[in-house]
Amino acid sequence: MKAREAMIGAVHIFNAAGLTFRAELFVMTAIVAWTYFLHAYFKREGVNHQYNDKKTAQGAVKYWDLSKCISTGHSPISSGAKLNLEFLIELRNEIAHQSTSRIDDAVGMELQACCINFNDELKKHFGNQYGLEKRLPLALQFVSFGRDQRSILKEAFALPPHVSSLIQAFESGLTDDQVSDPAFRYRVAFVPISAKKSSGSDECVVVIKPGSEEAEQISEVIFKEVNRARYIRRDVLTKVRKAGFPKFGEGDHTKIMQQLNAKDPSKGYGCKGDYKGSWVWFDKWIERVIEHCQESGEKYR
């Protein structure tokens, strides 16, 4: 029950209006929730989950921390959920030892996966009656952001370098299958729909079965590239310099382009232009270049 309440508290904190330290507070509290969940599981299964050579400052029994819980062969959680927790533990260590800010957008998919994993494991090992889906409805917001607005926000609220380094270092060791595992990172796309029948008009969330005809149609609408803004290199340089990096030049652009193999179409940074041998860039590439400049400190300022 304490594990359950801790996760409910973590989600309430993250959804609370007006907070600017939401992701950090969620991570700290969610780790407590997972730790208590695994302690409950170990206790029920008769697994000795206390440190035999460690005591608290007051001499009491010291039970395993979350890292220890998931690294033993006794943990029942899936490999994707374990990977997600390993990422959150590393993030927690950054939070605990250095003040962070502006990380909500960068780790939102991992936090969503954490919630779903917890609920799934809770019901799987303790029963459906403990599920949290009825207690935690869909969070609401009053605004929506277009691509241009999102780019402006990301420029104004850049990810702290030490957190960005953590994410890149962690992901560099993962396979494509691990990165795409929804248990590690859960991504959802919302599509506005109009109910065709009055019976469905009161549903604000409609779950579509993966692989169904409806899912294929939605995927085509969401991922189809239409009217996408395109930029030549000169435009990229102009936008990067306006973002506060006047020293970023053509040579710098060529260097990062080669380092990241940016013209690989699968990366989504750009595509072939209308003229033979030409190449154009998307907003995603501009965002990546600006992120590189931010990570480089004062080099391009």
Side-chain angles (χ1 to χ4, degrees):
M1 294 305 295
K2 286 185 177 180
R4 195 168 175 268
E5 290 181 9
M7 186 57 76
I8 291 173
V11 175
H12 279 317
I13 288 172
F14 189 83
N15 288 337
L19 296 181
T20 58
F21 198 56
R22 301 182 306 156
E24 294 88 342
L25 292 172
F26 174 91
V27 170
M28 304 292 279
T29 313
I31 285 179
V32 172
W34 274 102
T35 304
Y36 283 9
F37 161 75
L38 288 170
H39 285 181
Y41 175 83
F42 293 149
K43 183 176 181 180
R44 188 189 66 187
E45 299 299 314
V47 176
N48 178 17
H49 55 289
Q50 65 183 59
Y51 291 103
N52 296 323
D53 56 345
K54 295 180 181 180
K55 300 289 184 181
T56 68
Q58 285 70 39
V61 171
K62 192 169 186 177
Y63 293 98
W64 292 347
D65 58 24
L66 185 56
S67 293
K68 178 70 173 178
C69 287
I70 64 175
S71 64
T72 69
H74 302 292
S75 172
I77 66 175
S78 69
S79 59
K82 177 185 176 183
L83 189 65
N84 177 266
L85 289 178
E86 289 173 344
F87 172 79
L88 294 185
I89 289 169
E90 289 197 24
L91 183 59
R92 185 276 311 271
N93 294 339
E94 288 293 325
I95 294 168
H97 296 289
Q98 186 173 166
S99 176
T100 59
S101 60
R102 308 179 302 276
I103 69 172
D104 295 356
D105 188 55
V107 299
M109 292 180 289
E110 287 82 1
L111 304 191
Q112 180 65 73
C114 175
C115 292
I116 294 175
N117 294 341
F118 183 86
N119 197 42
D120 288 346
E121 298 289 346
L122 191 67
K123 293 190 293 183
K124 178 180 178 181
H125 298 289
F126 289 94
N128 291 332
Q129 68 272 25
Y130 290 105
L132 301 178
E133 59 267 27
K134 298 298 182 182
R135 292 286 305 273
L136 298 170
L138 180 72
L140 303 179
Q141 65 181 43
F142 293 104
V143 295
S144 62
F145 299 104
R147 182 185 296 134
D148 293 340
Q149 292 169 301
R150 179 179 170 83
S151 297
I152 293 172
L153 287 172
K154 291 186 73 173
E155 291 173 16
F157 301 100
L159 192 65
H162 63 101
V163 175
S164 178
S165 298
L166 180 155
I167 294 174
Q168 292 180 13
F170 189 91
E171 292 184 354
S172 65
L174 304 182
T175 65
D176 291 341
D177 288 340
Q178 287 175 317
V179 172
S180 62
D181 187 344
F184 169 62
R185 172 183 291 156
Y186 193 87
R187 179 176 295 171
V188 177
F190 290 97
V191 181
I193 62 174
S194 299
K196 295 182 179 179
K197 298 180 181 180
S198 59
S199 59
S201 61
D202 59 346
E203 297 180 7
C204 68
V205 177
V206 179
V207 179
I208 303 298
K209 183 179 180 180
S212 66
E213 182 180 351
E214 291 88 347
E216 293 299 325
Q217 291 175 349
I218 290 175
S219 297
E220 183 178 352
V221 172
I222 292 174
F223 298 110
K224 187 176 182 181
E225 296 179 0
V226 292
N227 296 328
R228 206 169 181 181
R230 302 182 177 196
Y231 307 94
I232 60 175
R233 182 178 62 178
R234 181 180 61 196
D235 298 329
V236 174
L237 295 176
T238 298
K239 285 184 172 291
V240 172
R241 289 164 180 167
K242 284 184 178 180
F245 304 100
K247 296 181 180 179
F248 186 82
E250 294 182 1
D252 302 308
H253 184 270
T254 300
K255 185 175 180 180
I256 184 178
M257 180 186 70
Q258 293 173 343
Q259 288 176 343
L260 299 177
N261 190 22
K263 287 190 176 181
D264 180 349
S266 66
K267 296 191 175 183
Y269 288 135
C271 68
K272 292 181 179 180
D274 296 329
Y275 301 100
K276 184 177 180 180
S278 65
W279 185 269
V280 291
W281 301 100
F282 300 145
D283 286 300
K284 181 180 178 180
W285 175 244
I286 296 175
E287 293 175 5
R288 182 63 185 88
V289 173
I290 291 175
E291 180 182 331
H292 167 74
C293 292
Q294 291 167 338
E295 294 169 354
S296 301
E298 298 298 317
K299 182 178 179 179
Y300 302 112
R301 296 185 183 277

